[in-house]
PDB file of all heavy atoms in Angstrom:
ATOM      1  N   ALA A   1       0.826  -1.212   0.000  1.00 93.00           N
ATOM      2  CA  ALA A   1       0.000   0.000   0.000  1.00 93.00           C
ATOM      3  C   ALA A   1       0.857   1.257   0.000  1.00 93.00           C
ATOM      4  O   ALA A   1       0.665   2.183   0.801  1.00 93.00           O
ATOM      5  CB  ALA A   1      -0.942  -0.003   1.206  1.00 93.00           C
ATOM      6  N   LYS A   2       1.833   1.286  -0.908  1.00 89.00           N
ATOM      7  CA  LYS A   2       2.767   2.412  -0.956  1.00 89.00           C
ATOM      8  C   LYS A   2       2.160   3.596  -1.702  1.00 89.00           C
ATOM      9  O   LYS A   2       1.695   3.444  -2.834  1.00 89.00           O
ATOM     10  CB  LYS A   2       4.078   1.993  -1.635  1.00 89.00           C
ATOM     11  CG  LYS A   2       4.974   1.137  -0.757  1.00 89.00           C
ATOM     12  CD  LYS A   2       6.293   0.887  -1.450  1.00 89.00           C
ATOM     13  CE  LYS A   2       7.293   0.266  -0.495  1.00 89.00           C
ATOM     14  NZ  LYS A   2       7.745   1.191   0.542  1.00 89.00           N
ATOM     15  N   PRO A   3       2.176   4.780  -1.094  1.00 89.00           N
ATOM     16  CA  PRO A   3       1.716   5.968  -1.808  1.00 89.00           C
ATOM     17  C   PRO A   3       2.801   6.484  -2.762  1.00 89.00           C
ATOM     18  O   PRO A   3       3.987   6.270  -2.528  1.00 89.00           O
ATOM     19  CB  PRO A   3       1.476   6.964  -0.670  1.00 89.00           C
ATOM     20  CG  PRO A   3       2.468   6.564   0.377  1.00 89.00           C
ATOM     21  CD  PRO A   3       2.586   5.076   0.298  1.00 89.00           C
ATOM     22  N   GLY A   4       2.408   7.103  -3.828  1.00 89.00           N
ATOM     23  CA  GLY A   4       3.387   7.678  -4.753  1.00 89.00           C
ATOM     24  C   GLY A   4       4.142   6.634  -5.552  1.00 89.00           C
ATOM     25  O   GLY A   4       3.750   5.467  -5.643  1.00 89.00           O
ATOM     26  N   ALA A   5       5.252   7.085  -6.123  1.00 92.00           N
ATOM     27  CA  ALA A   5       6.042   6.219  -6.994  1.00 92.00           C
ATOM     28  C   ALA A   5       6.818   5.178  -6.189  1.00 92.00           C
ATOM     29  O   ALA A   5       7.253   5.439  -5.069  1.00 92.00           O
ATOM     30  CB  ALA A   5       7.006   7.064  -7.821  1.00 92.00           C
ATOM     31  N   VAL A   6       6.990   4.011  -6.773  1.00 95.00           N
ATOM     32  CA  VAL A   6       7.748   2.926  -6.154  1.00 95.00           C
ATOM     33  C   VAL A   6       9.137   2.879  -6.779  1.00 95.00           C
ATOM     34  O   VAL A   6       9.276   2.875  -8.001  1.00 95.00           O
ATOM     35  CB  VAL A   6       7.039   1.573  -6.360  1.00 95.00           C
ATOM     36  CG1 VAL A   6       7.918   0.421  -5.883  1.00 95.00           C
ATOM     37  CG2 VAL A   6       5.696   1.556  -5.636  1.00 95.00           C
ATOM     38  N   PHE A   7      10.175   2.832  -5.939  1.00 96.00           N
ATOM     39  CA  PHE A   7      11.545   2.704  -6.453  1.00 96.00           C
ATOM     40  C   PHE A   7      11.838   1.244  -6.774  1.00 96.00           C
ATOM     41  O   PHE A   7      11.560   0.351  -5.973  1.00 96.00           O
ATOM     42  CB  PHE A   7      12.560   3.200  -5.421  1.00 96.00           C
ATOM     43  CG  PHE A   7      13.992   3.031  -5.869  1.00 96.00           C
ATOM     44  CD1 PHE A   7      14.613   4.027  -6.607  1.00 96.00           C
ATOM     45  CD2 PHE A   7      14.708   1.868  -5.584  1.00 96.00           C
ATOM     46  CE1 PHE A   7      15.935   3.871  -7.048  1.00 96.00           C
ATOM     47  CE2 PHE A   7      16.013   1.706  -6.020  1.00 96.00           C
ATOM     48  CZ  PHE A   7      16.630   2.712  -6.749  1.00 96.00           C
ATOM     49  N   LEU A   8      12.399   1.005  -7.953  1.00 96.00           N
ATOM     50  CA  LEU A   8      12.848  -0.332  -8.326  1.00 96.00           C
ATOM     51  C   LEU A   8      14.027  -0.188  -9.276  1.00 96.00           C
ATOM     52  O   LEU A   8      13.917   0.445 -10.329  1.00 96.00           O
ATOM     53  CB  LEU A   8      11.730  -1.132  -9.007  1.00 96.00           C
ATOM     54  CG  LEU A   8      12.046  -2.616  -9.186  1.00 96.00           C
ATOM     55  CD1 LEU A   8      11.919  -3.353  -7.854  1.00 96.00           C
ATOM     56  CD2 LEU A   8      11.117  -3.258 -10.215  1.00 96.00           C
ATOM     57  N   GLY A   9      15.151  -0.754  -8.904  1.00 96.00           N
ATOM     58  CA  GLY A   9      16.351  -0.662  -9.729  1.00 96.00           C
ATOM     59  C   GLY A   9      16.621  -1.950 -10.473  1.00 96.00           C
ATOM     60  O   GLY A   9      16.564  -3.046  -9.898  1.00 96.00           O
ATOM     61  N   VAL A  10      16.896  -1.851 -11.766  1.00 95.00           N
ATOM     62  CA  VAL A  10      17.234  -3.017 -12.587  1.00 95.00           C
ATOM     63  C   VAL A  10      18.730  -3.278 -12.444  1.00 95.00           C
ATOM     64  O   VAL A  10      19.551  -2.428 -12.773  1.00 95.00           O
ATOM     65  CB  VAL A  10      16.873  -2.773 -14.061  1.00 95.00           C
ATOM     66  CG1 VAL A  10      17.296  -3.964 -14.921  1.00 95.00           C
ATOM     67  CG2 VAL A  10      15.375  -2.518 -14.213  1.00 95.00           C
ATOM     68  N   THR A  11      19.078  -4.454 -11.944  1.00 93.00           N
ATOM     69  CA  THR A  11      20.490  -4.777 -11.705  1.00 93.00           C
ATOM     70  C   THR A  11      21.115  -5.580 -12.842  1.00 93.00           C
ATOM     71  O   THR A  11      22.324  -5.542 -13.040  1.00 93.00           O
ATOM     72  CB  THR A  11      20.643  -5.572 -10.398  1.00 93.00           C
ATOM     73  OG1 THR A  11      19.959  -6.829 -10.519  1.00 93.00           O
ATOM     74  CG2 THR A  11      20.048  -4.798  -9.223  1.00 93.00           C
ATOM     75  N   HIS A  12      20.312  -6.349 -13.573  1.00 91.00           N
ATOM     76  CA  HIS A  12      20.806  -7.132 -14.702  1.00 91.00           C
ATOM     77  C   HIS A  12      19.619  -7.472 -15.588  1.00 91.00           C
ATOM     78  O   HIS A  12      18.470  -7.211 -15.237  1.00 91.00           O
ATOM     79  CB  HIS A  12      21.519  -8.411 -14.235  1.00 91.00           C
ATOM     80  CG  HIS A  12      20.605  -9.419 -13.605  1.00 91.00           C
ATOM     81  ND1 HIS A  12      20.394 -10.681 -14.114  1.00 91.00           N
ATOM     82  CD2 HIS A  12      19.822  -9.349 -12.494  1.00 91.00           C
ATOM     83  CE1 HIS A  12      19.546 -11.341 -13.356  1.00 91.00           C
ATOM     84  NE2 HIS A  12      19.171 -10.562 -12.362  1.00 91.00           N
ATOM     85  N   ARG A  13      19.876  -8.056 -16.744  1.00 90.00           N
ATOM     86  CA  ARG A  13      18.817  -8.342 -17.705  1.00 90.00           C
ATOM     87  C   ARG A  13      18.943  -9.755 -18.246  1.00 90.00           C
ATOM     88  O   ARG A  13      20.027 -10.340 -18.225  1.00 90.00           O
ATOM     89  CB  ARG A  13      18.881  -7.343 -18.870  1.00 90.00           C
ATOM     90  CG  ARG A  13      18.650  -5.898 -18.440  1.00 90.00           C
ATOM     91  CD  ARG A  13      19.083  -4.915 -19.530  1.00 90.00           C
ATOM     92  NE  ARG A  13      18.935  -3.543 -19.092  1.00 90.00           N
ATOM     93  CZ  ARG A  13      19.797  -2.902 -18.306  1.00 90.00           C
ATOM     94  NH1 ARG A  13      20.890  -3.529 -17.864  1.00 90.00           N
ATOM     95  NH2 ARG A  13      19.601  -1.644 -17.953  1.00 90.00           N
ATOM     96  N   LEU A  14      17.840 -10.257 -18.735  1.00 93.00           N
ATOM     97  CA  LEU A  14      17.824 -11.508 -19.490  1.00 93.00           C
ATOM     98  C   LEU A  14      17.235 -11.212 -20.862  1.00 93.00           C
ATOM     99  O   LEU A  14      16.325 -10.388 -20.982  1.00 93.00           O
ATOM    100  CB  LEU A  14      16.959 -12.566 -18.799  1.00 93.00           C
ATOM    101  CG  LEU A  14      17.428 -13.149 -17.463  1.00 93.00           C
ATOM    102  CD1 LEU A  14      16.409 -14.165 -16.964  1.00 93.00           C
ATOM    103  CD2 LEU A  14      18.799 -13.782 -17.574  1.00 93.00           C
ATOM    104  N   ASP A  15      17.726 -11.902 -21.886  1.00 92.00           N
ATOM    105  CA  ASP A  15      17.126 -11.764 -23.213  1.00 92.00           C
ATOM    106  C   ASP A  15      15.644 -12.116 -23.130  1.00 92.00           C
ATOM    107  O   ASP A  15      15.247 -12.976 -22.343  1.00 92.00           O
ATOM    108  CB  ASP A  15      17.796 -12.711 -24.210  1.00 92.00           C
ATOM    109  CG  ASP A  15      19.256 -12.370 -24.449  1.00 92.00           C
ATOM    110  OD1 ASP A  15      19.647 -11.222 -24.182  1.00 92.00           O
ATOM    111  OD2 ASP A  15      19.993 -13.278 -24.893  1.00 92.00           O
ATOM    112  N   ARG A  16      14.843 -11.476 -23.955  1.00 93.00           N
ATOM    113  CA  ARG A  16      13.399 -11.719 -23.902  1.00 93.00           C
ATOM    114  C   ARG A  16      13.029 -13.195 -24.009  1.00 93.00           C
ATOM    115  O   ARG A  16      12.176 -13.677 -23.254  1.00 93.00           O
ATOM    116  CB  ARG A  16      12.688 -10.903 -24.983  1.00 93.00           C
ATOM    117  CG  ARG A  16      11.165 -11.075 -24.932  1.00 93.00           C
ATOM    118  CD  ARG A  16      10.434 -10.013 -25.698  1.00 93.00           C
ATOM    119  NE  ARG A  16       9.007 -10.020 -25.335  1.00 93.00           N
ATOM    120  CZ  ARG A  16       8.159  -9.049 -25.627  1.00 93.00           C
ATOM    121  NH1 ARG A  16       8.571  -7.975 -26.267  1.00 93.00           N
ATOM    122  NH2 ARG A  16       6.890  -9.130 -25.266  1.00 93.00           N
ATOM    123  N   PRO A  17      13.606 -13.975 -24.926  1.00 95.00           N
ATOM    124  CA  PRO A  17      13.173 -15.375 -25.040  1.00 95.00           C
ATOM    125  C   PRO A  17      13.702 -16.292 -23.948  1.00 95.00           C
ATOM    126  O   PRO A  17      13.385 -17.482 -23.939  1.00 95.00           O
ATOM    127  CB  PRO A  17      13.713 -15.789 -26.414  1.00 95.00           C
ATOM    128  CG  PRO A  17      14.873 -14.898 -26.651  1.00 95.00           C
ATOM    129  CD  PRO A  17      14.523 -13.597 -26.019  1.00 95.00           C
ATOM    130  N   THR A  18      14.505 -15.747 -23.027  1.00 97.00           N
ATOM    131  CA  THR A  18      15.079 -16.529 -21.937  1.00 97.00           C
ATOM    132  C   THR A  18      14.210 -16.415 -20.689  1.00 97.00           C
ATOM    133  O   THR A  18      13.671 -15.351 -20.393  1.00 97.00           O
ATOM    134  CB  THR A  18      16.501 -16.032 -21.618  1.00 97.00           C
ATOM    135  OG1 THR A  18      17.299 -16.109 -22.798  1.00 97.00           O
ATOM    136  CG2 THR A  18      17.149 -16.859 -20.527  1.00 97.00           C
ATOM    137  N   SER A  19      14.074 -17.496 -19.955  1.00 97.00           N
ATOM    138  CA  SER A  19      13.310 -17.494 -18.704  1.00 97.00           C
ATOM    139  C   SER A  19      14.262 -17.548 -17.514  1.00 97.00           C
ATOM    140  O   SER A  19      15.466 -17.740 -17.663  1.00 97.00           O
ATOM    141  CB  SER A  19      12.346 -18.685 -18.672  1.00 97.00           C
ATOM    142  OG  SER A  19      13.064 -19.904 -18.765  1.00 97.00           O
ATOM    143  N   GLY A  20      13.685 -17.387 -16.312  1.00 98.00           N
ATOM    144  CA  GLY A  20      14.488 -17.600 -15.116  1.00 98.00           C
ATOM    145  C   GLY A  20      14.565 -16.426 -14.171  1.00 98.00           C
ATOM    146  O   GLY A  20      13.843 -15.430 -14.306  1.00 98.00           O
ATOM    147  N   VAL A  21      15.456 -16.550 -13.195  1.00 98.00           N
ATOM    148  CA  VAL A  21      15.530 -15.604 -12.090  1.00 98.00           C
ATOM    149  C   VAL A  21      16.089 -14.252 -12.518  1.00 98.00           C
ATOM    150  O   VAL A  21      17.111 -14.174 -13.199  1.00 98.00           O
ATOM    151  CB  VAL A  21      16.348 -16.191 -10.912  1.00 98.00           C
ATOM    152  CG1 VAL A  21      17.764 -16.557 -11.327  1.00 98.00           C
ATOM    153  CG2 VAL A  21      16.370 -15.233  -9.745  1.00 98.00           C
ATOM    154  N   VAL A  22      15.363 -13.199 -12.142  1.00 97.00           N
ATOM    155  CA  VAL A  22      15.804 -11.824 -12.360  1.00 97.00           C
ATOM    156  C   VAL A  22      15.782 -11.110 -11.013  1.00 97.00           C
ATOM    157  O   VAL A  22      14.795 -11.184 -10.283  1.00 97.00           O
ATOM    158  CB  VAL A  22      14.902 -11.075 -13.361  1.00 97.00           C
ATOM    159  CG1 VAL A  22      15.383  -9.638 -13.547  1.00 97.00           C
ATOM    160  CG2 VAL A  22      14.866 -11.791 -14.704  1.00 97.00           C
ATOM    161  N   LEU A  23      16.856 -10.412 -10.714  1.00 97.00           N
ATOM    162  CA  LEU A  23      17.008  -9.738  -9.428  1.00 97.00           C
ATOM    163  C   LEU A  23      16.842  -8.234  -9.594  1.00 97.00           C
ATOM    164  O   LEU A  23      17.453  -7.625 -10.477  1.00 97.00           O
ATOM    165  CB  LEU A  23      18.398 -10.049  -8.859  1.00 97.00           C
ATOM    166  CG  LEU A  23      18.751  -9.471  -7.492  1.00 97.00           C
ATOM    167  CD1 LEU A  23      17.882 -10.088  -6.402  1.00 97.00           C
ATOM    168  CD2 LEU A  23      20.232  -9.732  -7.195  1.00 97.00           C
ATOM    169  N   PHE A  24      16.016  -7.638  -8.740  1.00 97.00           N
ATOM    170  CA  PHE A  24      15.813  -6.186  -8.730  1.00 97.00           C
ATOM    171  C   PHE A  24      16.184  -5.632  -7.355  1.00 97.00           C
ATOM    172  O   PHE A  24      16.123  -6.347  -6.342  1.00 97.00           O
ATOM    173  CB  PHE A  24      14.351  -5.838  -9.000  1.00 97.00           C
ATOM    174  CG  PHE A  24      13.848  -6.215 -10.369  1.00 97.00           C
ATOM    175  CD1 PHE A  24      13.151  -7.402 -10.560  1.00 97.00           C
ATOM    176  CD2 PHE A  24      14.064  -5.385 -11.454  1.00 97.00           C
ATOM    177  CE1 PHE A  24      12.672  -7.758 -11.807  1.00 97.00           C
ATOM    178  CE2 PHE A  24      13.590  -5.734 -12.719  1.00 97.00           C
ATOM    179  CZ  PHE A  24      12.896  -6.917 -12.893  1.00 97.00           C
ATOM    180  N   ALA A  25      16.532  -4.347  -7.328  1.00 97.00           N
ATOM    181  CA  ALA A  25      16.827  -3.657  -6.068  1.00 97.00           C
ATOM    182  C   ALA A  25      15.632  -2.797  -5.670  1.00 97.00           C
ATOM    183  O   ALA A  25      15.061  -2.086  -6.498  1.00 97.00           O
ATOM    184  CB  ALA A  25      18.067  -2.783  -6.221  1.00 97.00           C
ATOM    185  N   ARG A  26      15.277  -2.856  -4.391  1.00 97.00           N
ATOM    186  CA  ARG A  26      14.157  -2.065  -3.887  1.00 97.00           C
ATOM    187  C   ARG A  26      14.608  -0.765  -3.233  1.00 97.00           C
ATOM    188  O   ARG A  26      13.756   0.076  -2.905  1.00 97.00           O
ATOM    189  CB  ARG A  26      13.343  -2.896  -2.895  1.00 97.00           C
ATOM    190  CG  ARG A  26      12.583  -4.062  -3.520  1.00 97.00           C
ATOM    191  CD  ARG A  26      11.638  -4.701  -2.525  1.00 97.00           C
ATOM    192  NE  ARG A  26      10.714  -3.706  -1.973  1.00 97.00           N
ATOM    193  CZ  ARG A  26       9.963  -3.903  -0.895  1.00 97.00           C
ATOM    194  NH1 ARG A  26      10.054  -5.046  -0.229  1.00 97.00           N
ATOM    195  NH2 ARG A  26       9.149  -2.964  -0.455  1.00 97.00           N
ATOM    196  N   THR A  27      15.909  -0.607  -3.019  1.00 96.00           N
ATOM    197  CA  THR A  27      16.436   0.624  -2.433  1.00 96.00           C
ATOM    198  C   THR A  27      17.644   1.088  -3.233  1.00 96.00           C
ATOM    199  O   THR A  27      18.306   0.284  -3.899  1.00 96.00           O
ATOM    200  CB  THR A  27      16.864   0.417  -0.969  1.00 96.00           C
ATOM    201  OG1 THR A  27      17.938  -0.550  -0.924  1.00 96.00           O
ATOM    202  CG2 THR A  27      15.695  -0.062  -0.115  1.00 96.00           C
ATOM    203  N   SER A  28      17.945   2.358  -3.170  1.00 96.00           N
ATOM    204  CA  SER A  28      19.095   2.904  -3.895  1.00 96.00           C
ATOM    205  C   SER A  28      20.404   2.339  -3.348  1.00 96.00           C
ATOM    206  O   SER A  28      21.362   2.133  -4.100  1.00 96.00           O
ATOM    207  CB  SER A  28      19.093   4.434  -3.812  1.00 96.00           C
ATOM    208  OG  SER A  28      19.099   4.873  -2.465  1.00 96.00           O
ATOM    209  N   LYS A  29      20.454   2.093  -2.036  1.00 96.00           N
ATOM    210  CA  LYS A  29      21.657   1.506  -1.437  1.00 96.00           C
ATOM    211  C   LYS A  29      21.925   0.122  -2.023  1.00 96.00           C
ATOM    212  O   LYS A  29      23.050  -0.198  -2.419  1.00 96.00           O
ATOM    213  CB  LYS A  29      21.499   1.401   0.080  1.00 96.00           C
ATOM    214  CG  LYS A  29      22.688   0.736   0.778  1.00 96.00           C
ATOM    215  CD  LYS A  29      22.382   0.416   2.238  1.00 96.00           C
ATOM    216  CE  LYS A  29      22.281   1.670   3.068  1.00 96.00           C
ATOM    217  NZ  LYS A  29      22.186   1.342   4.533  1.00 96.00           N
ATOM    218  N   ALA A  30      20.883  -0.700  -2.096  1.00 97.00           N
ATOM    219  CA  ALA A  30      21.039  -2.042  -2.654  1.00 97.00           C
ATOM    220  C   ALA A  30      21.410  -1.987  -4.131  1.00 97.00           C
ATOM    221  O   ALA A  30      22.239  -2.774  -4.609  1.00 97.00           O
ATOM    222  CB  ALA A  30      19.753  -2.839  -2.465  1.00 97.00           C
ATOM    223  N   LEU A  31      20.812  -1.057  -4.862  1.00 97.00           N
ATOM    224  CA  LEU A  31      21.097  -0.940  -6.292  1.00 97.00           C
ATOM    225  C   LEU A  31      22.565  -0.610  -6.533  1.00 97.00           C
ATOM    226  O   LEU A  31      23.225  -1.236  -7.374  1.00 97.00           O
ATOM    227  CB  LEU A  31      20.212   0.129  -6.925  1.00 97.00           C
ATOM    228  CG  LEU A  31      20.451   0.400  -8.415  1.00 97.00           C
ATOM    229  CD1 LEU A  31      20.202  -0.853  -9.242  1.00 97.00           C
ATOM    230  CD2 LEU A  31      19.569   1.548  -8.902  1.00 97.00           C
ATOM    231  N   ALA A  32      23.096   0.369  -5.815  1.00 96.00           N
ATOM    232  CA  ALA A  32      24.490   0.773  -6.007  1.00 96.00           C
ATOM    233  C   ALA A  32      25.433  -0.384  -5.701  1.00 96.00           C
ATOM    234  O   ALA A  32      26.389  -0.648  -6.441  1.00 96.00           O
ATOM    235  CB  ALA A  32      24.804   1.978  -5.123  1.00 96.00           C
ATOM    236  N   ARG A  33      25.166  -1.093  -4.612  1.00 96.00           N
ATOM    237  CA  ARG A  33      26.046  -2.191  -4.220  1.00 96.00           C
ATOM    238  C   ARG A  33      25.925  -3.379  -5.163  1.00 96.00           C
ATOM    239  O   ARG A  33      26.930  -4.015  -5.505  1.00 96.00           O
ATOM    240  CB  ARG A  33      25.747  -2.606  -2.785  1.00 96.00           C
ATOM    241  CG  ARG A  33      26.145  -1.537  -1.765  1.00 96.00           C
ATOM    242  CD  ARG A  33      25.838  -1.946  -0.336  1.00 96.00           C
ATOM    243  NE  ARG A  33      26.233  -0.896   0.603  1.00 96.00           N
ATOM    244  CZ  ARG A  33      26.024  -0.949   1.923  1.00 96.00           C
ATOM    245  NH1 ARG A  33      25.424  -2.002   2.453  1.00 96.00           N
ATOM    246  NH2 ARG A  33      26.417   0.036   2.704  1.00 96.00           N
TER     247      ARG A  33
END
């Protein structure tokens, strides 16, 4: 129930036709590290 915009940082990518685990950062500290 977060008001306003939600922060989400993309840390890596997978090709579209590829499946599997994708990791995102929920805070700027986690994203930088």
Side-chain angles (χ1 to χ4, degrees):
K2 285 186 169 290
V6 172
F7 177 88
L8 191 75
V10 177
T11 63
H12 68 118
R13 297 165 183 80
L14 292 180
D15 295 339
R16 182 164 194 166
T18 303
S19 60
V21 59
V22 179
L23 182 66
F24 295 97
R26 291 189 56 194
T27 63
S28 57
K29 177 191 290 188
L31 177 61
R33 292 180 180 177

